[in-house]
Amino acid sequence: MDSQPFKTPLANILVIDDTPENLHLLAAMLTEQGYKVRSVTKGSAGLRGAAAAPPDLILLDINMPEMNGYEVCQQLKESDRTRDIPVIFISAMNDVLDKVKAFSVGGVDFITKPFQVQEVLVRVENHLTIRNLRSSLQEQNARLQQEIYERKQAEEKFAKAFRSSPSPIAIATLSEGQFIEVNNSFLRMSGYCLEEIIGHTAAELQLWISSQKYATTIAKLLEIGSLQNYEMEFRTKSGEVRIVLFSAELIDLSGTQCVLNIINDITERKRLENEFISLVSHELRTPLTSLIGSLDLLSTGQLGTLTAKGQKVLNIALTNTERLNRLVNDILDLERMKSGKITIQAVKCNADHLMIQAAEAMQAMAERAGITLVTEPVMAEIIADSDRILQILTNLLSNAIKFSEPGKSVWLRAKLRGDRLQIEVQDQGRGIPANKLQTIFEPFQQVDVSDSRKKGGTGLGLAICRNIVEQHNGDIWVESVLNQGSTFYVTLPLA
Ligand code: ADP
């Protein structure tokens, strides 16, 4: 039998046998196979040797003077240092009881003398392999224990951060949207107790004012994996509306896909911000109106004729004052809409009429900019505030014209989509970078900081559009390819 493939290289073997011939025979045979062999003739010497430099395996005779093999084995098993060394007994005693005793004191095998060389080699090799496997299992086990410990530590850290975070945090399943864990800050902000939340969904509790916006936000989350600081309106148990920044991450909890929501309540900050903006805007309105009146009067020439240079300066002053006036009006408009001071007056109206009206209003601007305006309306009735829809369409058309080069076209078209009308404003302009597609709908967000100065805008148009669309239970979004153009979509409920 060839034992080569199982060879454990350079294993250390200790042979303890009081018969010198046996000892020599075993030592020679094992050395020839490439093992390192130490041999001793006394049990006590064997114990000392094993303790000083533990071998990988021990071949042990039973019948020896002073201390027999059983006692040697027992002592080996009592010490931590030598306990795991496999001991193979080699003995001329062939009684079953002897063998049983050999195993009961901790031996792993028993070879009867006179032995066959090949048998000894195979058994030695087998036990060395078992020992190696056992020690690698032990190592693996220790590694796993360490990993479990580190994971537990990490979990504990996360659990602490979760529990003590001042920001409301909630974890819900992705498939059903059922809450499986929320922290105390979330309970405080929402006004619910734990039992009222766990197992329920945001939809059941009507936590989000616009369920549609929440659905679009979650769709976005699925698309990109994480969301940061989306402004949303949250309804507490008492019905109070809180303005929050909503961030979310997809996480895996024991194989279940979940959404980790972190909420930042900015209601107070927003209130102060709005209060400040509206205060300043109100204060600015009166002097601005008087300023525009005076500049207009100057431009009529009733107060004397201006030189050409004077007229140029006056024109600059007028353009800028008008822009400032637009800004102030837009701020006040948005603020009144958000605070619910103006609500929409939705009635049945013809979408095609509104589209044609909007296109006519923008025709002059398009011509000045060298843009071809193409209108493709559909006959459809919608429930809407016609003035406000006109405001949206003219705003989108004005942006499409503003951000396109002369010679290009702008399309205003509409399509029926189930119970909704989808209006599209498409241009062949400079496009919008992917990371700005959402933010441009926030107040004062522009792709380029110089846009308002160069293009005369206020950075509020799209925020106003979004507000109006939401009040109509509609949706607004944009798709764009840089340097090729953008398409703004507005969906509104059909009558
Ligand atoms: P503004 O008064 O600056 O036009 P809006 O809120 O209407 O304010 O638009 C915000 C910003 O979005 C613009 O300043 C511009 O950077 C970008 N934008 C809007 N519409 C378009 C468009 N059709 N093509 C390219 N960029 C656009």
Side-chain angles (χ1 to χ4, degrees), residues 234-346:
F234 182 96
R235 188 188 285 112
T236 67
K237 186 180 174 186
S238 65
E240 190 192 347
V241 177
R242 313 289 303 175
I243 301 172
V244 301
L245 291 180
F246 176 86
S247 300
E249 290 271 346
L250 286 180
I251 56 167
D252 189 302
L253 278 190
S254 322
T256 309
Q257 276 270 82
C258 293
V259 183
L260 172 77
N261 302 321
I262 301 181
I263 288 166
N264 222 329
D265 190 343
I266 54 162
T267 316
E268 190 55 14
R269 192 185 93 190
K270 275 272 160 188
R271 194 185 60 77
L272 289 173
E273 209 175 274
N274 288 345
E275 214 171 76
F276 175 74
I277 290 174
S278 87
L279 192 86
V280 171
S281 307
H282 275 295
E283 289 303 315
L284 282 175
R285 218 144 76 139
T286 320
L288 255 178
T289 316
S290 129
L291 197 59
I292 292 173
S294 312
L295 291 174
D296 268 341
L297 192 61
L298 273 179
S299 68
T300 58
Q302 287 177 36
L303 303 177
T305 322
L306 283 169
T307 59
K309 217 172 176 182
Q311 191 63 46
K312 211 168 152 197
V313 173
L314 179 64
N315 284 343
I316 295 173
L318 252 175
T319 314
N320 281 304
T321 320
E322 274 159 8
R323 198 179 123 216
L324 198 54
N325 195 35
R326 269 201 308 279
L327 180 65
V328 168
N329 285 334
D330 278 357
I331 290 173
L332 289 173
D333 204 12
L334 192 62
E335 196 266 323
R336 277 199 299 261
M337 250 187 273
K338 283 200 158 181
S339 61
K341 282 183 202 137
I342 35 172
T343 46
I344 57 156
Q345 307 295 328

Side-chain angles (χ1 to χ4, degrees), residues 56-116:
D56 296 307
L57 184 135
I58 295 175
L59 286 174
L60 181 57
D61 186 18
I62 296 179
N63 262 334
M64 291 186 292
E66 287 174 30
M67 189 188 281
N68 68 26
Y70 298 137
E71 289 171 88
V72 174
C73 189
Q74 255 164 345
Q75 289 199 25
L76 284 168
K77 298 297 157 189
E78 275 164 17
S79 151
D80 281 347
R81 197 161 159 76
T82 51
R83 179 172 301 129
D84 291 334
I85 305 169
V87 174
I88 300 178
F89 282 101
I90 299 194
S91 175
M93 302 197 303
N94 202 10
D95 195 284
V96 162
L97 286 177
D98 295 323
K99 293 186 182 171
V100 169
K101 175 133 198 218
F103 285 111
S104 72
V105 294
V108 292
D109 211 344
F110 195 101
I111 300 173
T112 318
K113 284 183 195 170
F115 49 76
Q116 298 281 318

Side-chain angles (χ1 to χ4, degrees), residues 32-231:
E32 196 184 311
Q33 295 298 318
Y35 295 116
K36 283 195 198 161
V37 183
R38 279 184 287 155
S39 37
V40 291
T41 50
K42 280 188 181 162
S44 54
L47 282 174
R48 273 199 306 279
D56 296 307
L57 184 135
I58 295 175
L59 286 174
L60 181 57
D61 186 18
I62 296 179
N63 262 334
M64 291 186 292
E66 287 174 30
M67 189 188 281
N68 68 26
Y70 298 137
E71 289 171 88
V72 174
C73 189
Q74 255 164 345
Q75 289 199 25
L76 284 168
K77 298 297 157 189
E78 275 164 17
S79 151
D80 281 347
R81 197 161 159 76
T82 51
R83 179 172 301 129
D84 291 334
I85 305 169
V87 174
I88 300 178
F89 282 101
I90 299 194
S91 175
M93 302 197 303
N94 202 10
D95 195 284
V96 162
L97 286 177
D98 295 323
K99 293 186 182 171
V100 169
K101 175 133 198 218
F103 285 111
S104 72
V105 294
V108 292
D109 211 344
F110 195 101
I111 300 173
T112 318
K113 284 183 195 170
F115 49 76
Q116 298 281 318
V117 172
Q118 287 298 347
E119 183 190 353
V120 176
L121 287 177
V122 169
R123 291 196 186 216
V124 163
E125 195 55 53
N126 282 349
H127 285 291
L128 283 171
T129 310
I130 292 171
R131 181 193 146 90
N132 284 345
L133 287 175
R134 202 175 59 191
S135 61
S136 76
L137 265 179
Q138 275 167 348
E139 266 169 37
Q140 222 169 317
N141 213 10
R143 245 198 337 268
L144 284 175
Q145 294 287 357
Q146 178 65 20
E147 237 172 72
I148 290 173
Y149 172 76
E150 281 167 10
R151 269 183 197 213
K152 272 199 176 149
Q153 295 276 92
E155 258 172 40
E156 186 51 32
K157 264 189 218 156
F158 173 76
K160 256 191 198 152
F162 182 83
R163 280 194 302 268
S164 58
S165 165
S167 300
I169 308 178
I171 302 175
T173 59
L174 180 64
S175 51
E176 313 284 331
Q178 271 171 346
F179 287 110
I180 51 177
E181 220 162 325
V182 298
N183 67 355
N184 282 336
S185 306
F186 190 93
L187 295 176
R188 260 196 307 279
M189 183 191 76
S190 67
Y192 289 99
C193 65
L194 201 59
E195 297 73 50
E196 291 171 318
I197 295 246
I198 301 298
H200 296 279
T201 65
E204 279 166 19
L205 299 168
Q206 300 187 330
L207 292 186
W208 302 105
I209 299 290
S210 164
S211 51
Q212 207 159 0
K213 186 167 174 186
Y214 181 65
T216 348
T217 311
I218 293 296
K220 195 85 206 158
L221 172 69
L222 288 180
E223 198 184 311
I224 55 179
S226 78
L227 295 178
Q228 255 160 30
N229 295 335
Y230 275 46
E231 199 176 309

Side-chain angles (χ1 to χ4, degrees), residues 330 395-396 398-404 425 427 429-433 436 440-448 451-452 455-465 478 480 485-488:
D330 278 357
N395 212 318
L396 295 181
S398 137
N399 279 348
I401 296 166
K402 259 190 332 196
F403 297 105
S404 297
V425 177
D427 65 50
R430 70 174 195 198
I432 298 161
K436 297 281 162 90
I440 51 166
F441 292 96
E442 301 291 335
F444 302 113
Q445 292 293 330
Q446 295 174 313
V447 173
D448 192 322
D451 279 351
S452 61
K455 309 279 180 184
T458 62
L460 285 167
L462 290 177
I464 292 175
C465 288
V478 60
S480 185
S486 313
T487 307
F488 281 80

Side-chain angles (χ1 to χ4, degrees), residues 405-419:
E405 293 296 321
K408 301 288 183 189
S409 299
V410 167
W411 289 266
L412 170 63
R413 49 171 96 87
K415 290 168 187 161
L416 295 172
R417 292 253 182 271
D419 59 352

